[in-house]
């Protein structure tokens, strides 16, 4: 069965977006620090990363091991020097 991730609007109590692609119980969810991506894992070791701007899947992989934690690195700062 499908296991969609549903993003709800707290005030209206209505779904804002449904992220599809996972088929088993969802075990982890994490938004990137800039809120541009959402990562989720399922109990079958599937990892999916969605683009939160157009809701497309940007990464989908069935892993050999179970994921227990999703963390994101901080966004990189521009390396441009200002004079």
């Amino acid at each position: 069965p499908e296991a969609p991730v549903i993003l709800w609007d707290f005030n209206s109590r209505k779904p804002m977006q449904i992220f599809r692609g996972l088929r088993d119980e969802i075990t982890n969810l994490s938004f990137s620090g800039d809120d541009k991506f959402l990562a989720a894992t399922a109990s079958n070791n599937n990892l999916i990363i969605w683009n939160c701007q157009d809701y497309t899947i940007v990464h989908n992989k069935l892993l050999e091991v179970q994921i227990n934690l999703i963390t994101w690195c901080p966004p990189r700062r521009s390396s441009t020097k200002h004079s």
Side-chain angles (χ1 to χ4, degrees), residues 9-77:
D9 181 287
F10 181 79
N11 293 324
S12 71
R13 294 191 168 105
K14 293 182 180 179
M16 293 173 44
Q17 181 59 39
I18 299 175
F19 296 90
R20 300 184 187 281
L22 293 173
R23 300 270 177 220
D24 269 352
E25 176 185 357
I26 296 167
T27 55
N28 292 286
L29 284 172
S30 180
F31 283 97
S32 62
D34 57 7
D35 292 329
K36 291 183 179 180
F37 299 96
L38 173 62
T41 59
S43 58
N44 67 345
N45 301 338
N46 190 191
L47 166 69
I48 293 184
I49 301 174
W50 292 274
N51 179 321
C52 290
Q53 295 179 2
D54 63 10
Y55 310 110
T56 57
I57 294 174
V58 295
H59 187 79
N60 186 355
K61 184 161 180 123
L62 188 59
L63 304 169
E64 294 182 21
V65 296
Q66 183 178 11
I67 300 294
N68 295 316
L69 178 67
I70 300 172
T71 59
W72 295 87
C73 294
R76 292 184 184 169
R77 292 182 185 231

